[in-house]
């Protein structure tokens, strides 16, 4: 080691590349026995206030992220995602029927509910596990959370519109349309599949 | 420039090698290292470099002689030569003979062109060999320079922020209800004569006469055709019921013919 | 100690903590979208000549120990495996000619490439499959990876040693092209008595 500068550089590089904190002795051994105490002191001073700091813990030295930047190491990122239709339906069913088991949700939806669907609602914090139903199998039952009311701007679950309100709002219209299409309309009602007896009689 | 590639390895055996072994450039060593050549072009390049001139100025004839001499010598030593080397030897012998012909008797393509091609290929191989050596000699990560030994690591915890509005929930519920509502068959209001009223009506009308009456005569006159139809059906069933109770008898002369009934005393 | 821009400190801490080289975009994304180019330039300058340096490789950034400390830090043992001559030549050919097919590699080397040779380079993460050449047979073509640049300390392929000279000398051009330029009737160069292993067809 010719000059102090080179020694400082070598200590810096050695600690940077080290896989674990190193004692001054270990650093020295790594660098042909040079006395590294001055170099360490210089480095501490050099890195003070930077994004990275040289610190001594239990007589071992290592670089670490500056304490006031520790939040950079663990970031949270929020991805805004829209609830899928299946999840929205499930949420609605929980809200209207709580507490409900998964089997009940499926019965009401008339479709199987994927495991992930309820997970999403739990993750969103709108639905919680509200215990178990005391029936065979003791299924988990779900209910909405206070957070659900807050997010959707409801005072209480009683604010949810009733079925009649839904119909009045036209939200059940599609059903009526479907039924109307299925039913034969007035005139021809009963004209076609005649009981043979009656028709015979009539035509007579 | 490397020293002509006398560092030899058996490339088929292992592509990761221990420290390269250097060896002398003596002829004897050369022959013993036969297995180490990377093929005839490799051998030619090494021989060309022994001419100690720029590859652009090597004497192809001299190179051919050296190669053929090498092959002869190897055969004298009863060394196994791979077919590639012998094929190259035959081709070089052909090239040499063509080069020695008077120009007007030379075949096409000209031997000069073939010699040039060989020279160009040797240059390219030499260029890549040098490039490889320079590349390997760079400051390499993990050998000469090092990354941080114990990085803290950056972690990004992704969180989903779910979005849904109030209307979507209500609408979804409406859709669920709509989809799964039990199918209700709604029967339109229609004018009917119930069985009870038909029974009363037929029984009382039968009491008026002892004669046969046609079923049709029991129907309300001037009624809406749809009501008549219902009355006909109900009255027919009423007639059957009265017959069962022994209060009336029925007669029909032919299939589908008029149905008549009269009171039983 | 100059007072440090918060952003510079944040970039410094982020790159120190990162487990792999990061692009400017990735750093920026980690730091709430800040423009980090100035900060990177400042850091490069700050670390120049120190024991640790900030370098750019294939548009990604990382800290590493200074090259001129190699004599102090060099480790010959585990990390760097020695490549066979076949593998080093193949790597050089891929790097200087990329993208290249196996046949083109063999045309230059004058020898068949053992199966394992390219595998070793693929496994080391220095070479990747870069698609297929749209010629009959659709041969697979190979190119180097960003990792190759990192390992060999190259900012980009333009930094490959001597590549400009090789290009100027035409030594990266296929033999056939050179011959065609040199010889008036060079087009059908050498149909008959080809040099063995010439594989002139493949370099076309």
């Amino acid at each position: 080691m010719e000059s102090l500068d080179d020694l400082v550089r070598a200590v810096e590089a050695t600690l940077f590349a080290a896989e674990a904190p190193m004692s001054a002795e270990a650093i020295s051994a790594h660098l042909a026995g040079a006395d590294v105490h001055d170099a360490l002191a210089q480095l501490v001073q050099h890195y003070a206030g930077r994004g990275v700091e040289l610190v001594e813990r239990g007589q071992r030295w290592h670089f670490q992220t500056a304490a006031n930047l520790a939040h950079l190491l663990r970031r949270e990122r929020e991805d805004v995602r829209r609830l899928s239709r299946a999840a929205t339906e499930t949420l609605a069913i929980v809200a209207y029927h709580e507490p409900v088991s998964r089997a009940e949700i499926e019965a009401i939806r008339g479709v199987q509910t994927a495991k992930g669907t309820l997970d999403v609602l739990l993750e969103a914090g709108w639905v919680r596990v509200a215990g178990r139903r005391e029936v065979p199998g003791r299924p988990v039952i779900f209910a909405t959370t206070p957070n659900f009311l807050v997010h959707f701007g409801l005072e209480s679950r009683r604010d949810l519109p009733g079925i009649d309100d839904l119909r009045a709002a036209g939200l059940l219209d599609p059903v009526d349309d479907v039924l109307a299409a299925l039913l034969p309309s007035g005139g021809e009602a009963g004209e076609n599949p005649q009981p043979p007896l009656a028709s015979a009689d009539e035509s007579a | 420039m490397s020293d002509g590639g006398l560092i030899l390895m058996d490339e088929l055996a292992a592509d990761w090698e221990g420290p390269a072994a250097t060896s002398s450039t003596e002829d004897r060593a050369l022959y013993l290292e036969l297995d180490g050549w990377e093929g005839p072009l490799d051998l030619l390049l090494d021989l060309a470099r022994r001419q100690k001139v720029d590859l652009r100025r090597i004497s192809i004839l001299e190179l051919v002689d050296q190669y053929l001499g090498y092959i002869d010598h190897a055969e004298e030593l009863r060394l196994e030569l791979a077919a590639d080397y012998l094929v190259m030897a035959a081709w070089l012998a052909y090239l040499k003979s063509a080069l020695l012909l008077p120009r007007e008797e030379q075949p096409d393509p000209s031997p000069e062109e073939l010699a040039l091609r060989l020279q160009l290929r040797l240059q390219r191989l030499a260029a890549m060999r040098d490039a490889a050596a320079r590349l390997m000699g760079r400051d390499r990560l993990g050998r000469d320079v090092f990354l941080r030994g114990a990085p803290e690591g950056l972690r990004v915890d992704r969180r989903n922020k779910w979005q849904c509005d109030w209307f979507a929930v209500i609408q979804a519920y409406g859709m669920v209800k709509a989809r799964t509502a039990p199918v209700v068959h709604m029967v339109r209001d229609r004018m009917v004569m119930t069985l009870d009223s038909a029974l009363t009506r037929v029984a009382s009308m039968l009491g008026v006469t002892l004669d046969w009456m046609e079923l049709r005569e029991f129907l309300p006159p001037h009624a809406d055709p749809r009501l008549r139809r219902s009355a006909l059906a109900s009255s027919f069933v009423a007639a059957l019921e009265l017959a069962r109770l022994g209060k009336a008898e029925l007669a029909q002369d032919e299939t589908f013919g008029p149905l008549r009934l009269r009171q039983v005393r």
Side-chain angles (χ1 to χ4, degrees), chain A residues 43-54 64-69:
Chain A
L43 285 170
V44 167
Q45 202 177 7
H46 176 83
Y47 278 94
R50 297 201 61 88
V52 173
E53 287 169 352
L54 181 57
Q64 69 175 28
T65 308
N68 58 5
L69 292 177

Side-chain angles (χ1 to χ4, degrees), chain A residues 6 17 35 88 92 113 122 150 169 172 187 190-191:
Chain A
D6 261 5
D35 180 349
T88 309
T113 301
L122 290 164
V150 171
L172 297 181
E191 207 115 295

Side-chain angles (χ1 to χ4, degrees), chain A residues 16-19 63-65 72-83 85 88-89 91-93 96-97 108-111 120 123-124 126 151-152 154 159-161 163 166 171-172 175 179 183 185-186 191 194 197-198 200-202 204, chain B residues 146-150 152-188 190 214-216 225-226 228-229 232-233 236 252 256-259:
Chain A
F16 173 85
E19 277 155 27
F63 281 111
Q64 69 175 28
T65 308
L72 292 178
L73 302 182
R74 195 148 301 174
R75 288 242 116 155
E76 276 209 347
R77 183 166 312 160
E78 286 204 327
D79 295 338
V80 175
R81 299 177 61 182
R82 255 204 107 64
L83 216 53
R85 182 156 142 209
T88 309
E89 285 184 11
L91 176 62
I93 291 167
Y96 274 91
H97 297 264
I108 296 169
R109 280 191 71 212
V111 198
V120 161
E123 184 194 279
W126 293 334
H151 183 92
F152 291 94
L154 300 171
D159 290 352
L160 288 168
I163 288 294
L166 295 185
L171 285 165
L172 297 181
V175 163
L179 279 179
L183 288 175
S185 58
E191 207 115 295
Q194 296 275 13
L197 244 179
D201 212 301
E202 179 96 281
Chain B
F146 299 89
L147 295 176
R148 181 131 184 247
E152 290 92 340
L154 299 172
R155 241 183 62 192
V156 178
D157 296 333
R158 288 188 173 271
R159 276 175 48 94
N160 290 318
K161 183 169 173 53
W162 292 99
Q163 280 210 325
C164 184
D165 58 40
W166 148 253
F167 180 72
V169 172
I170 306 299
Q171 190 181 40
Y173 193 67
M175 285 166 74
V176 168
K177 279 299 179 192
R179 194 171 64 222
T180 60
V183 179
V184 180
H185 292 288
M186 287 199 281
V187 180
R188 205 171 278 275
R190 52 197 296 192
E214 205 187 317
L215 184 60
R216 190 174 290 270
R226 280 181 290 178
R228 279 180 67 85
R229 191 188 290 266
L232 178 65
F236 171 63
Q252 189 175 32
F256 296 136
L259 191 66

Side-chain angles (χ1 to χ4, degrees), chain A residues 33-188:
Chain A
D35 180 349
V36 297
H37 287 92
D38 277 358
L40 285 167
Q42 280 191 43
L43 285 170
V44 167
Q45 202 177 7
H46 176 83
Y47 278 94
R50 297 201 61 88
V52 173
E53 287 169 352
L54 181 57
V55 294
E56 183 187 9
R57 296 274 182 274
Q59 314 219 321
R60 288 171 189 276
W61 296 83
H62 70 276
F63 281 111
Q64 69 175 28
T65 308
N68 58 5
L69 292 177
H71 63 279
L72 292 178
L73 302 182
R74 195 148 301 174
R75 288 242 116 155
E76 276 209 347
R77 183 166 312 160
E78 286 204 327
D79 295 338
V80 175
R81 299 177 61 182
R82 255 204 107 64
L83 216 53
S84 71
R85 182 156 142 209
T88 309
E89 285 184 11
T90 304
L91 176 62
I93 291 167
V94 174
Y96 274 91
H97 297 264
E98 73 178 41
V100 280
S101 70
R102 181 172 167 161
E104 288 158 359
I105 293 169
E106 291 181 349
I108 296 169
R109 280 191 71 212
V111 198
Q112 280 220 330
T113 301
K115 168 104 177 62
T117 308
L118 271 161
D119 289 346
V120 161
L121 297 175
L122 290 164
E123 184 194 279
W126 293 334
V127 165
R128 67 192 164 87
V129 169
R132 290 177 179 276
R133 173 103 61 226
E134 289 306 334
V135 297
R138 303 190 69 240
V140 166
I141 48 179
F142 300 92
T144 53
T145 63
N147 213 12
F148 166 79
L149 297 177
V150 171
H151 183 92
F152 291 94
L154 300 171
E155 287 280 319
S156 79
R157 277 184 57 245
R158 281 191 302 279
D159 290 352
L160 288 168
I163 288 294
D164 291 340
D165 301 326
L166 295 185
R167 182 171 291 119
L171 285 165
L172 297 181
D173 277 353
V175 163
D176 287 340
D177 292 345
V178 170
L179 279 179
L182 284 175
L183 288 175
S185 58
E188 319 84 57

Side-chain angles (χ1 to χ4, degrees), chain B residues 4-12 14-20 36-42 84 87-89 91-92 94 108-109 113-114 116-118 120-121 123-125 127-129 131-132 134-136 138-148 150-156:
Chain B
L6 282 177
I7 301 164
L8 304 168
M9 296 175 191
D10 183 351
E11 77 161 299
L12 291 174
D15 271 284
W16 298 108
E17 292 287 342
W37 299 115
E38 301 260 343
L41 197 66
D42 189 22
D84 297 2
V87 172
M88 177 63 93
W91 184 82
L92 288 174
Y94 163 83
D108 184 55
E113 182 186 327
L114 296 178
L116 177 57
R117 174 181 288 276
L118 180 60
L120 289 172
R121 295 193 62 215
Q123 283 176 28
R124 274 154 186 70
L125 180 59
M128 283 302 103
R129 188 154 295 173
R134 292 174 70 179
L135 206 50
M136 293 302 138
R138 289 186 64 82
D139 292 318
R140 288 164 61 182
L141 202 68
R143 185 186 72 176
D144 307 299
V145 298
F146 299 89
L147 295 176
R148 181 131 184 247
E152 290 92 340
L154 299 172
R155 241 183 62 192
V156 178

Side-chain angles (χ1 to χ4, degrees), chain B residues 74-89:
Chain B
E75 283 179 332
E76 281 167 23
L77 291 175
R78 298 176 181 277
L79 291 174
E80 287 279 331
L81 283 175
D84 297 2
Y85 292 86
L86 302 177
V87 172
M88 177 63 93

